[in-house]
Amino acid sequence: MRIRFVIIFIICCVLFVLFPPLPKQNPLTAVFRITEDPAVIIRGTNGSALTVNISFGDVEVEQWIQDLAKPYPLLFVDMEWAERFPETVELIKDKKIPVGLLGNEGKDYEQNTPLFVNQIERFEQTFGMMPLWFRTKDEVFPLALHTMLWEAEINALGSSVTWQGGNIPPVQEGEILSIPHHRENRIEFTELKKLYDSRTFITVEEMLFQPKVKLKKIPE
């Protein structure tokens, strides 16, 4: 009997070596990189896509997310905000709303790899996956940040238009619109209805899974 157990144990060890456990499966959108070289994506080739940068807000943000319907905008979230409001984060995850990492201003990443690594690790811990999209608050991407994003296989996403309320911008084919929602710079979510009424939105993924996207090349 003991010999039989030894033989079974050896066979199991051999099978484990030859056929290791499958890695945890990630969503399709978590495993692709849009560009072939370090570059910032600023527009697509067709349609309109909406992105919202969130670093402030409690009840009003949760209610807005609760009421969101597909096609969802891409949410760029500040990690300090996300860690303060875990229930809102769970709502985002439950609704499967696409989310990217909203970083600091671009200048903060000059020679500051630890800042970038820390934010990526916190995002992964909070959302259970690496971010596919990254944006700085001022949409400035210095050379050092380009390099870090490229090595981490994360896409740098800028925008074609930043709307802060007021007159509705004219429709541009392939536009990526950015809406700020920060303590000192934000619009009321009720104002977004005017923007939604002005055009038909598609997701960022639908826009960028096209033969061409508009890029801002990394400076030499």
Side-chain angles (χ1 to χ4, degrees), residues 42-43 49 51 135 157-161 174-178 207:
I42 58 174
R43 65 184 311 117
T51 65
R135 172 183 286 167
L157 189 70
S159 66
S160 318
V161 178
E175 64 187 356
I176 299 173
L177 286 89
S178 173
M207 171 181 288

Side-chain angles (χ1 to χ4, degrees), residues 38-42 53 76 101-110 116 132-150 154-159 216-220:
V40 181
I41 302 165
I42 58 174
N53 304 336
F76 280 95
L101 173 58
L102 180 66
N104 296 16
E105 293 187 351
K107 62 180 175 59
D108 293 340
Y109 295 95
E110 291 285 3
F116 177 76
L132 173 63
W133 310 103
F134 182 91
R135 172 183 286 167
T136 58
K137 285 183 180 177
D138 55 2
E139 297 194 20
V140 173
F141 295 83
L143 177 59
L145 180 56
H146 272 279
T147 302
M148 290 186 285
L149 288 168
W150 183 250
I154 299 171
N155 294 294
L157 189 70
S159 66
K216 182 184 293 183
K217 286 292 184 179
I218 185 171
E220 297 294 339

Side-chain angles (χ1 to χ4, degrees), residues 72-198:
Y72 295 132
L74 172 59
L75 307 182
F76 280 95
V77 300
D78 171 82
M79 287 316 303
E80 291 187 1
W81 174 86
E83 290 163 352
R84 286 198 304 271
F85 302 106
E87 293 183 358
T88 305
V89 168
E90 287 303 312
L91 180 60
I92 293 171
K93 292 160 66 175
D94 289 343
K95 296 188 69 168
K96 296 181 172 58
I97 299 173
V99 59
L101 173 58
L102 180 66
N104 296 16
E105 293 187 351
K107 62 180 175 59
D108 293 340
Y109 295 95
E110 291 285 3
Q111 310 302 320
N112 196 350
T113 301
L115 171 63
F116 177 76
V117 171
N118 175 263
Q119 291 175 336
I120 295 298
E121 290 177 346
R122 290 161 66 191
F123 184 98
E124 188 172 13
Q125 183 176 6
T126 300
F127 290 96
M129 61 180 181
M130 286 281 287
L132 173 63
W133 310 103
F134 182 91
R135 172 183 286 167
T136 58
K137 285 183 180 177
D138 55 2
E139 297 194 20
V140 173
F141 295 83
L143 177 59
L145 180 56
H146 272 279
T147 302
M148 290 186 285
L149 288 168
W150 183 250
E151 291 177 350
E153 297 187 346
I154 299 171
N155 294 294
L157 189 70
S159 66
S160 318
V161 178
T162 297
W163 188 63
Q164 302 184 60
N167 295 330
I168 300 297
V171 177
Q172 304 176 42
E173 200 66 17
E175 64 187 356
I176 299 173
L177 286 89
S178 173
I179 308 297
H181 197 267
H182 311 305
R183 180 182 294 273
E184 304 297 336
N185 180 21
R186 66 185 187 275
I187 66 172
E188 297 297 329
F189 284 117
T190 53
E191 284 194 68
L192 279 178
K193 186 178 185 304
K194 296 188 296 182
L195 191 63
Y196 273 105
D197 291 344
S198 70

Side-chain angles (χ1 to χ4, degrees), residues 26-61:
N26 290 321
L28 176 63
T29 56
V31 296
F32 74 90
R33 181 163 58 190
I34 295 290
T35 62
E36 296 180 358
D37 299 293
V40 181
I41 302 165
I42 58 174
R43 65 184 311 117
T45 57
N46 69 294
S48 300
L50 181 63
T51 65
V52 182
N53 304 336
I54 303 176
S55 68
F56 175 79
D58 185 1
V59 176
E60 74 278 14
V61 175

Side-chain angles (χ1 to χ4, degrees), residues 43-49 172-176 200 202-213:
R43 65 184 311 117
T45 57
N46 69 294
S48 300
Q172 304 176 42
E173 200 66 17
E175 64 187 356
I176 299 173
T200 299
I202 61 176
T203 66
V204 169
E205 285 83 0
E206 288 173 328
M207 171 181 288
L208 298 181
F209 278 139
Q210 301 293 332
K212 297 179 180 179
V213 294

